């Protein structure tokens, strides 16, 4: 059952991912990408990370993709019909494939360590995923969290500066 | 819920992040200040940011020799970090000093420029002091994102846009690889703490053969190598350096590069120490490749800014030699070299800043013909920096190179050292050529537009002082560099 | 008592320096001339004192060290002087003849631009020559050896605006240098050879004391002596290095008299005399010396036949006479060699000065007539005996002397040489034959010279012929003195069989006897043979004289016939057997070609080509590599991915 | 039973596709989307691993990756807009000012 | 005073340079005279060395100064470690002696940017003096490279037509060699460290006692020797010299010939040979061959030159061939000959370049064909030129002879007999090319109207030449003044080289670093 679901979603994810690179129209690519994101969200749920799934949908599918589509519309280069691909398609395919081979090699050939933490599906059940995240975030990873805030600040300021029309 | 707050608080140690903390506070304050200043008035922000840097400098010096760890081991403020922090601060300081008049000349008097530099510096500091890949990664991102902005800062200039975009895309692209590496390492070690990974790998019997470890290490390195500008991940460097505003180019070539080295060294020498043979073999090749490509391509450049970009690639190569050596001398060599490089390279760019006209600060060799006679001070200054970049005594460039090559030779990498010196022999040519034009050609223009802006001159003077002092009496600083390695 | 040897070279040096530095200021020829003359005359007086002192004293070898020159490790060279019969005679000749020639020059060089320069050089030459003969070690000798070369360079090039003069000067010095190369090699070899035997020295006395350490007749000593002999051939204009001497006649006549007749060119002979012990140890070398000497003697004489330039004839006769001296040295007749050196100094100096006097007269005549003919061409002379009687008489006497007519000095010395070359243990009848023939030829061309110059009717251009005066006293007095010496000079060495005591022979014993006894060198034979040979040589001489008189006085048209008949031969002789051309073809031009090739071909193209080529390659690579930086984002990204794939792939799969 | 490796392989595929897209597309925005795709594949890896290893670090990391993605999106799009204003284009081939 | 005389002497020019930098650029005379005074004072400061008899008795280092400079514990340590012995003594003297002359020679030659010129000259002097007195390899290297910078500008700014090419060539060519030497220096240091030998920073006296394995020595000697051979320059590496000489301004050529070239030969004597004696033994045949080739080759090429300065430049190649041959003889005579020949070449060739400078100032050409018959117009010049010419030919009684003779004699006594014989032919060629040149320039009628009204040497020019001529004869007639101070040092050097070879034989096991030469 789970396996079936996995492969099904995987198929969708891969296909939509491929169409991201394939579609002539950026908007279509964007929509495909959203699809991929949703597939990933499904996986997150399957992996007992509902909170992440939620964020995935809200932040990615929601915020980021909306922003992108917004920009696409803004610049209204919706369907510029020039050739979509550059030359060197074969090279790119080859490289991508090689990359995958290598990755596969060190995934298949390599070995992840056994369980080190205490968080199991049961634990998630008991505490609730959000609380676990929050706890980790505000104890162990407090500093990165703060840095992230700075990062966002910088991004905002930068975006503002760059997109202002005149000084 | 209050117990959560307690748990949160006990792991907090503000000592450990004090420098970056100070910088960020100043940064935010300055953002507000620049909002309330009327249009086109940036000088106060500039000076305040210099003050900020000085204060931060004092703070970080205060942390010397008393290592502070904190935030559940995600950051540590040891001598290593402090040495680099000082380097970043100097880089930022020199940059800011040369920036203000430049921004006005180019018509972008935007106050947010300075806070961004401060945030960049803070990000660099997190990279240098982060002991958790998460911290390092986020530091790197803060650094990168603000650099994307700064590189594309002249939004009206196509060159600047292009620089920003190229930097952005390639940066993001490399981030992807880096993250993949982190993920793999996380997979094999179950943690993202530098020390934890080290233990895990050390505990692993087949670490050297486990593809996931090696792959993770390699992929992780790529992120850093990209920022360092090591071949074959160097290709963004010339374009971005050429297109970005000159002070930013100066800053990029010194600060972020140093930051990348800092993080790279910490990760490599702590987490991946057990993989020395593989890693230094990798670095050997990269070092040779990098310095050779940088030097060779630089020869055929006529645009001085772009030439310096290539030269900075080759210098990254020299620094990598120190990584190959994999011994204390080599490490502290890199620390020292980064400091030296900050002085000499930013100094050189500062001269270029003064040399440029509005809108066209990419001057070609012919653009400096006979320049040395018209503006003796700038001429001499540029000569000093170029000699230092060549690595000629009695300048700092020589002592720095000596330090690094000493490390390599001590470790027995004779050929590497030979290749290195032969490379710097090649580099002589294009550095000398600048002087050829500056002094051996007759002036075609009177360089009337060149004004000796006070702040910029100050930064040049500081750089000269640094270059000469580190060249003649490098002892004390070398000693510090020695005390800074783990 | 012999602590004033250093004065002998010192005076001329001072004179030279004074004239050289202040001459321009002084201007007054009298003063300059007298300074120069007095300087050399002073050293003549000192020489006399030392010479007669030496005659009187029992001890025959005196050394005087002024200062140390070089002291490094086992090498110790001093500024030292050596007085023994050999050097004593030489300094007498040098200073004596030198003084006369200085005196002569005052008159001869009258009105020249560089008068002071001339006297400065002349004094400098005397200094060098005296260093050469007085030095007590090979290095001091070498100073003189090269010093005289320098001075001959300066003096030949005295009329430096004439290209021929400049060339001749350069030629002289360079050819001498080739000799000096030999000398130097010999010196070094000798030093090392003796040193390896434990005696590190360059001092002549010590050398002759320790020479026996070397294996007699061994390769080493042969090499050493041959090297030295090469030096001698250069300095004394022997085959193959004689070519510079005739050209050297470009210099003023007094120079030719002093340097190229009396003193410098005899340095080689003197040097062999100085090293007689070494030469005696190597029969091979002695043979070479003898053969070269004999060959030179006859060869140069043959060229002398056909020259029309009065000084060139004398020059070739000098070469051939020097050949005689080397013949003497070669057969072990050291004494005879030096003896002939002395007599030759007298009559040849006299001859040159006489020719100078003639040229002076001719020049005066042409000058008066505003003609620019060559005053040295004998074909324009003739019948001058009436115009300049004193010159004529003295010249004739010396000619007789050189021709070897009995009772004149040349006879005694030449005869002794011939006798030794026949009878010496190192001699051979062939050598005697050549010598005798050469003697006859000498007699012939010398009288041809006299005939063309003084006898017959005057062929000088009509406008000039009556304005050729006799030369002033400053010129004629030296002539007379030298002529007198040319007559009596020989009587110090009258051979025993003519009832003479042969003083000079005994005088030289302390120098030569040692070697001659040690290595069995003596001339032995019946008195009958000696008489026979003597008469034979005399007859040959007279035959030559007679032939000359017959051809140039009785039947003046004959020579033309001969040249017509044997035109090819005459051309060859007239052009000095084309030796200069040969040398140019063999050595000079190839060297220049090689030099040019090495520079333009090798140095610029190959050596520098490699250097610039490297730079070029680097630039080329750079120009190519920069295009990897295409500016396209995709390429950059692709490069990164390739990097990743290669690096990671290498580690994961490798 | 679906193991962590399945997830990682899937992630690897997505990563490769993303790379492929970056290398091939001309449209800058699409390129950016491909990069996002790569980041997401990494996220998947992280979460899968975090689940397998049983600690939260991976998920936290994903959290930050998302932040970063957002930040980059903001800045990157701003850059693209600025470029568009000057060049009226968002094709990467039009980044051709700086080369050699 | 006496205890830091050397430092004073060495760094005084730099002080002078600072002074010069504060003189307004327009005030040419003041600039020149200040520089002259500075160089003269430096010369005076160096005089006590020449008159100190301690050199006659002991061959060790004197006027030692030692301060710790950089000390990074187990990393590395450099010291300010200087001193003078009989070998460097006369080179130091030569430097301080030549500098005022060089300054005087540029009195009218340099018009543009006098200030920079003078400043660079002074900087250069410090560099040269420092290189001669350093006893610490690192310190030596610093001075060694420091010399490049001013020379580069001297050639490049004030040089002739082709100056840029010449300057860059000079710079890069020399730098390549020295960079390789740097690697070798560092290697020697770490070898010493890991072999646990007693050491004193990069102090050479300690390194002398090092027993470096033969395998490593070869490479090290190659690195050192290559760098020095370029500077000398030895045969195949000489092509930078003619360019640099022809293009450089008179003062530049003088200093280049008189002092900078000696750096190479001095480097061999002081560093390359005593540090790596048994590598030396292997390389002597090669080096001697190159020296001899240099002698013949230099002479032949010089013979055909059309440019007087180029001719002199190539003659330098020949002269330094004699120097090298003498040094490689490895015995007293040879060493002494080589050392004195260094001084001679400094004086004679320096003087020749001055002379070329004189006529160049008058005619602004150096082509032999442009001249001819100058002797008419310039008798004093002719005399001076003649004296120098013959000193360069090596006429006995002048300095040249002493040097060449001793060098040849040394070579003859050592194994290099046949080399010596070949080299001796050099004396013939020397005569040929020098005299030919002299004849073509000075003799004959004045053919070129431009030469009709040339002025004879001015008082200044005579003053410049007189001291040189004085030394030409002094060294020629009484060289013992110099030898007596050299001999002890040379003896010590030679003994110590021999003893070290002996020591090397019995030494057996090498520390691991010996294998470092198996390169990674």
């Amino acid at each position: 059952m789970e396996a079936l679901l996995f492969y099904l979603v995987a198929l969708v994810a891969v296909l939509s991912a491929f169409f991201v690179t394939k579609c002539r129209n950026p908007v279509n690519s964007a929509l495909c990408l959203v699809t991929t994101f949703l597939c990933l969200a499904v996986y997150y749920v399957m992996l007992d990370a509902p909170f992440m799934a939620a964020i995935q949908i809200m932040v990615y599918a929601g915020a980021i993709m909306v922003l992108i589509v917004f920009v696409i519309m803004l610049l209204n280069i919706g369907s510029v019909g020039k050739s979509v691909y550059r030359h060197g398609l074969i090279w790119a395919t080859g490289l991508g494939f090689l990359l995958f081979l290598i990755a596969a090699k060190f995934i298949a050939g390599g070995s992840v360590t056994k369980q080190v933490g205490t968080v199991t599906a049961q634990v998630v059940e008991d505490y609730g995923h959000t609380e676990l995240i929050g706890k980790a975030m505000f104890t162990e990873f407090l500093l990165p969290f703060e840095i992230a805030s700075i990062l966002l600040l910088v991004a905002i300021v930068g975006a503002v500066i760059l997109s202002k029309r005149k000084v | 819920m209050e117990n959560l707050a307690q748990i949160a608080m006990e792991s907090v140690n503000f000592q450990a992040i004090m420098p970056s903390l100070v910088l960020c506070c100043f940064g935010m304050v300055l953002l507000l200040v620049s909002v309330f200043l009327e249009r086109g008035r940036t000088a106060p922000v500039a000076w305040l940011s210099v003050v900020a840097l000085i204060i931060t400098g004092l703070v970080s010096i205060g942390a010397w020799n008393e290592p502070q760890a904190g935030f559940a081991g995600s950051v540590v403020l040891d001598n290593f970090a402090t040495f680099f922090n000082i380097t970043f601060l100097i880089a930022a300081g020199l940059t800011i000093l040369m920036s203000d008049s430049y921004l006005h000349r180019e018509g972008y008097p935007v106050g947010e420029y300075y806070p961004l530099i401060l945030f960049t510096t803070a990000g660099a500091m997190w990279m240098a002091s982060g002991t958790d890949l998460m911290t390092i990664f986020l530091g790197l991102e803060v650094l990168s994102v603000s650099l994307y902005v700064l590189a594309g800062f002249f939004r009206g200039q196509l060159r600047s846009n292009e620089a920003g975009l190229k930097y952005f895309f390639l940066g993001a692209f490399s981030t992807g690889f880096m993250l993949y590496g982190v993920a793999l390492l996380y997979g094999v070690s179950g943690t993202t703490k530098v020390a934890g990974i080290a233990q895990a790998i050390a505990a692993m019997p087949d670490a050297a053969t486990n593809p996931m470890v090696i792959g993770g290490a390699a992929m992780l390195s790529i992120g850093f190598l990209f920022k360092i500008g090591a071949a074959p991940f160097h290709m963004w460097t010339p374009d971005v350096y050429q297109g970005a505003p000159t002070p930013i180019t100066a800053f990029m070539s010194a600060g972020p590069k140093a930051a990348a080295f800092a993080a790279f060294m910490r990760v490599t020498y702590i987490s991946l120490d057990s993989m020395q043979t593989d890693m230094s073999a990798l670095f050997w090749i990269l070092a040779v490749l990098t310095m050779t490509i940088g030097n060779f391509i630089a020869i055929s450049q006529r645009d001085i800014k772009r030439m310096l970009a290539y030269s900075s690639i080759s210098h990254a190569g020299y620094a990598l030699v120190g990584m190959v050596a994999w011994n204390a001398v080599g490490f502290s060599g890199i620390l020292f070299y980064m400091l030296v490089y900050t002085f000499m390279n930013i100094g050189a760019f500062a001269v270029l800043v003064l040399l440029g006209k509005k809108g066209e600060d990419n001057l070609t060799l012919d653009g400096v013909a006979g320049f040395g006679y018209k503006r003796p001070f700038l001429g001499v200054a540029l000569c000093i920096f170029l000699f230092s970049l060549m690595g000629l005594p009695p300048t700092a460039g020589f002592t720095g190179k000596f330090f690094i090559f000493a490390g390599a030779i001590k470790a027995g990498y004779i050929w590497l050292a030979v290749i290195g010196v032969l490379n710097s022999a090649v580099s002589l040519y294009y550095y000398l050529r600048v002087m050829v034009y500056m002094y051996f050609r007759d002036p075609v223009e009177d360089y009337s537009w060149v004004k000796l802006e006070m702040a910029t001159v100050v930064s040049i003077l500081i750089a000269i002082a640094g270059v000469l002092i580190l060249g003649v009496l490098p002892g004390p600083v070398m000693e510090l560099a020695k005390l800074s390695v783990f | 008592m012999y602590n004033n040897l250093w004065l002998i070279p010192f005076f001329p040096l001072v004179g030279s320096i004074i004239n050289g530095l202040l001459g321009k200021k002084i201007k007054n020829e009298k003063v300059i001339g007298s300074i120069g003359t007095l300087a050399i005359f002073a050293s003549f007086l000192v020489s006399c004192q030392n010479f007669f002192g030496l005659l009187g004293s029992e001890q025959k070898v005196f050394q005087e060290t002024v200062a140390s020159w070089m002291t490094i490790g086992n090498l110790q060279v001093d500024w030292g002087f050596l007085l023994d019969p050999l050097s004593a005679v030489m300094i007498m000749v040098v200073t004596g003849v030198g003084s006369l020639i200085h005196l002569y020059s005052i008159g001869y060089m009258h009105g020249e631009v560089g008068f002071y320069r001339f006297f400065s050089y002349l004094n400098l030459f005397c200094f060098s020559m005296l260093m050469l003969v007085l030095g007590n070690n090979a290095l001091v000798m070498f100073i003189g050896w090269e010093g005289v070369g320098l001075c001959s360079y300066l003096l030949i090039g005295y009329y430096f605006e004439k290209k021929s003069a400049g060339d001749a000067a350069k030629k002289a010095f360079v050819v001498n240098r080739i000799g000096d190369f030999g000398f130097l090699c010999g010196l070094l070899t000798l030093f090392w050879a003796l040193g390896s035997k434990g005696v590190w020295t360059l001092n002549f006395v010590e050398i002759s004391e320790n020479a026996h350490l070397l294996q007699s007749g061994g390769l080493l000593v042969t090499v050493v002596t041959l090297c030295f002999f090469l030096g001698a051939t250069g300095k004394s204009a022997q085959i193959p290095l004689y070519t510079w001497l005739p050209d050297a006649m470009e210099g003023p006549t007094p120079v030719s008299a002093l340097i190229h007749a009396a003193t410098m060119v005899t340095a080689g002979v003197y040097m062999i005399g100085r090293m007689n012990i070494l030469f005696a140890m190597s029969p091979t070398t002695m043979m070479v010396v003898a053969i070269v000497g004999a060959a030179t003697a006859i060869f140069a004489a043959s060229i002398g036949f056909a020259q029309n330039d009065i000084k060139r004839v004398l020059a070739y006769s000098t070469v051939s006479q020097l050949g005689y001296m080397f013949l003497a040295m070669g057969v072990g007749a050291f004494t005879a060699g030096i003896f002939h050196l002395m007599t030759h100094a007298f009559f040849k100096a006299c001859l040159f000065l006489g020719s100078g006097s003639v040229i002076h007269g001719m020049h005066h005549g042409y000058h008066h007539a505003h003609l620019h003919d060559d005053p040295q061409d004998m074909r324009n002379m003739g019948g001058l005996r009436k115009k300049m009687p004193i010159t004529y008489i003295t010249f004739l006497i010396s000619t007789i002397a050189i021709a070897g007519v009995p009772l004149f000095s040349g006879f005694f010395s030449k005869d002794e040489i011939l006798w030794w070359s026949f009878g010496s243990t190192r001699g051979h009848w062939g050598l005697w034959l050549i010598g005798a023939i050469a003697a006859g030829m000498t007699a012939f061309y010398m009288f041809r010279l006299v005939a063309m110059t003084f006898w017959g009717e005057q062929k000088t251009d009509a406008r000039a012929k009556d304005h050729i005066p006799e030369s002033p006293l400053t010129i004629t007095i030296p002539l007379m003195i030298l002529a007198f010496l040319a007559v009596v000079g020989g009587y110090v060495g009258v051979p025993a069989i003519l009832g003479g005591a042969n003083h000079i022979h005994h005088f030289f014993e302390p120098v030569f006897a040692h070697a001659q006894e040690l290595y069995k060198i003596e001339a032995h034979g019946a008195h009958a043979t000696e008489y026979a040979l003597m008469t034979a040589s005399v007859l040959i001489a007279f035959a030559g004289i007679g032939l000359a008189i017959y051809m140039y006085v009785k039947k003046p048209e004959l020579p033309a016939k001969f040249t017509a008949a044997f035109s090819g031969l005459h051309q060859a002789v007239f052009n000095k057997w084309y030796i200069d051309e040969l040398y140019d073809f063999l050595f000079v031009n190839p060297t220049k070609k090689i030099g040019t090739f090495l520079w333009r071909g090798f140095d610029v193209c190959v050596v520098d080509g490699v250097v610039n080529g490297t730079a070029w390659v680097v630039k080329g690579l750079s120009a190519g590599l920069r295009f990897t930086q295409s500016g396209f984002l995709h390429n950059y990204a692709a490069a990164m991915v390739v990097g990743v794939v290669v690096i990671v792939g290498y580690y994961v799969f490798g | 039973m679906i193991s962590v490796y399945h997830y990682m392989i899937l992630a690897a595929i997505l990563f490769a596709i993303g790379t492929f897209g970056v290398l091939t597309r001309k449209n800058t925005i699409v390129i950016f989307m491909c990069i996002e795709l790569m980041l997401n594949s990494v996220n998947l890896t992280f979460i899968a691993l975090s689940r397998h290893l049983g600690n939260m670090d991976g998920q936290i990391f994903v959290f930050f990756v998302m932040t970063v993605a957002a930040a980059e999106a903001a800045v990157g799009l701003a850059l693209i807009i600025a470029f568009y204003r000057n060049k009226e284009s968002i094709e990467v081939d039009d980044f051709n000012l700086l080369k050699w | 005073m006496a205890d830091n005389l050397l430092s004073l002497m060495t760094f005084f020019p730099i002080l002078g340079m600072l002074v010069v930098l504060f003189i307004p650029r327009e005030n040419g005379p003041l600039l020149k005279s200040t520089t002259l005074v500075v160089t003269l004072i430096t010369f005076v400061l160096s005089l006590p060395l020449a008159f100190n008899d301690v050199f006659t008795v002991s061959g060790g280092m004197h006027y030692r100064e030692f301060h710790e400079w950089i000390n990074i514990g187990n990393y590395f340590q450099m010291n300010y470690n200087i001193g003078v012995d009989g070998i460097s003594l006369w080179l130091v003297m030569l430097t301080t002696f030549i500098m005022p002359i060089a300054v005087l020679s540029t009195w009218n030659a340099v018009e543009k940017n006098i200030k920079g010129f003078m400043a660079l000259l002074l900087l250069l002097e410090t560099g040269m003096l420092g290189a001669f007195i350093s006893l610490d390899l690192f310190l030596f290297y610093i001075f060694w490279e420091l010399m490049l910078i001013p020379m580069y500008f001297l050639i490049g700014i004030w040089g002739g037509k082709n100056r840029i090419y010449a300057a860059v060539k000079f710079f890069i060519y020399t730098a390549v060699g020295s960079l390789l030497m740097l690697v070798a220096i560092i290697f020697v240091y770490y070898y010493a460290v890991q072999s646990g030998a007693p050491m004193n920073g990069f102090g050479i006296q300690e390194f002398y006692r090092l027993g470096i394995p033969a395998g490593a020595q070869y490479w090290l000697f190659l690195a050192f020797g290559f760098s020095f051979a370029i500077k000398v320059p030895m045969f195949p590496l000489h092509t930078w010299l003619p360019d640099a000489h022809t293009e450089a301004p008179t003062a530049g050529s003088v200093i280049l010939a008189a002092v900078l070239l000696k750096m190479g030969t001095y480097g061999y004597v002081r560093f390359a040979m005593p540090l790596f004696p048994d590598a030396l033994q292997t390389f002597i045949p090669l080096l001697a061959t190159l020296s001899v080739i240099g002698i013949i080759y230099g002479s032949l090429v010089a013979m055909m030159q059309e440019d007087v300065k180029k001719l002199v430049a190539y003659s330098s190649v020949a002269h330094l061939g004699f120097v090298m041959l003498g040094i490689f003889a490895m015995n007293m005579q040879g060493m002494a000959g080589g050392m004195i020949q260094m001084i001679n070449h400094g004086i004679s060739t320096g003087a020749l370049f001055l002379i070329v400078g004189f006529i160049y100032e008058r005619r602004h050409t150096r082509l032999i064909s442009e001249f001819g018959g100058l002797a008419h117009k310039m008798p004093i010049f002719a005399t001076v030129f003649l004296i120098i010419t013959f000193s360069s030919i090596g006429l006995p009684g002048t300095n040249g002879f002493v040097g060449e003779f001793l060098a040849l004699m040394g070579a003859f006594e050592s194994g290099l007999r046949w080399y010596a014989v070949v080299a001796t032919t050099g004396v013939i060629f020397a005569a040929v090319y020098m005299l030919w040149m002299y004849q073509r320039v000075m003799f004959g009628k004045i053919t070129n109207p431009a030469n009709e009204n040339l002025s004879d040497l001015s008082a200044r020019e005579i003053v410049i030449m007189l001291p040189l001529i004085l030394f030409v004869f002094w060294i020629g007639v009484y060289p013992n003044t110099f030898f007596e101070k050299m001999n002890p040092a040379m003896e010590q050097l030679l003994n110590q080289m021999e003893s070290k070879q002996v020591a090397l034989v019995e030494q057996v096991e090498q520390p691991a670093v010996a294998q470092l030469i198996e390169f990674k």
Side-chain angles (χ1 to χ4, degrees), chain B residues 296-301, chain C residues 617-627:
Chain B
F296 273 64
I297 303 189
I299 282 182
S300 55
Q301 297 304 322
Chain C
V617 166
V618 172
K619 277 186 191 162
L621 275 176
S622 146
L625 271 177
R626 71 183 295 196
F627 291 107

Side-chain angles (χ1 to χ4, degrees), chain A residues 150, chain B residues 18-31 118-119:
Chain A
I150 297 289
Chain B
M18 194 47 86
S20 44
L21 200 57
V22 174
L23 266 186
C24 291
C25 299
F26 266 100
M28 296 180 212
V29 172
L30 285 177
L31 277 176
L118 296 192
F119 288 129

Side-chain angles (χ1 to χ4, degrees), chain A residues 86 95-96 98-99 101-102 105-106, chain C residues 634 641-642 644-645 648-649 652-653:
Chain A
R86 289 194 87 259
L95 280 176
L98 275 175
L99 202 62
L101 276 187
I102 291 162
K105 166 71 178 177
F106 51 61
Chain C
H634 285 105
V641 178
V642 170
V644 174
V645 168
V648 183
V652 173
F653 291 101

Side-chain angles (χ1 to χ4, degrees), chain C residues 229-262:
Chain C
F229 178 60
L230 177 60
T233 53
K235 195 61 68 187
S236 300
Q238 295 300 293
I239 294 172
L241 298 182
Y242 72 94
T243 48
W244 64 272
L245 186 50
D247 297 12
M249 295 304 135
E250 290 291 341
T253 314
V255 174
S256 319
L258 178 59
I259 301 185
H260 307 122

Side-chain angles (χ1 to χ4, degrees), chain C residues 356-453:
Chain C
S357 162
V358 171
I359 294 163
H360 188 260
M362 295 293 292
H363 184 272
H364 189 280
Y366 284 136
H367 186 68
H368 188 279
H370 308 296
L371 293 172
H372 296 290
D373 301 19
D374 179 3
Q376 304 192 8
D377 192 332
M378 298 192 292
R379 285 166 299 188
N380 304 338
M381 300 178 184
L384 290 180
R385 66 181 178 287
K386 296 184 233 51
K387 290 286 182 309
M388 29 183 67
I390 308 174
T391 314
Y392 167 55
I393 302 297
T394 50
F395 201 94
L396 187 59
I397 295 172
S398 321
T399 315
I400 295 168
I402 195 177
V405 173
L407 310 181
F408 286 79
S409 59
F411 166 74
F412 299 107
S413 51
K414 195 179 281 185
D415 180 64
E416 183 157 14
I417 294 176
L418 286 172
W419 160 238
W420 271 76
S421 55
F422 182 88
S424 157
T425 46
R426 302 266 168 101
H428 187 279
W429 63 267
L431 293 173
W432 176 86
L433 189 60
I434 297 172
I437 294 169
M441 294 163 81
T442 313
F444 172 79
Y445 65 73
M446 283 313 293
F447 271 88
R448 166 176 178 268
L449 172 60
V450 174
M452 289 177 79
T453 318

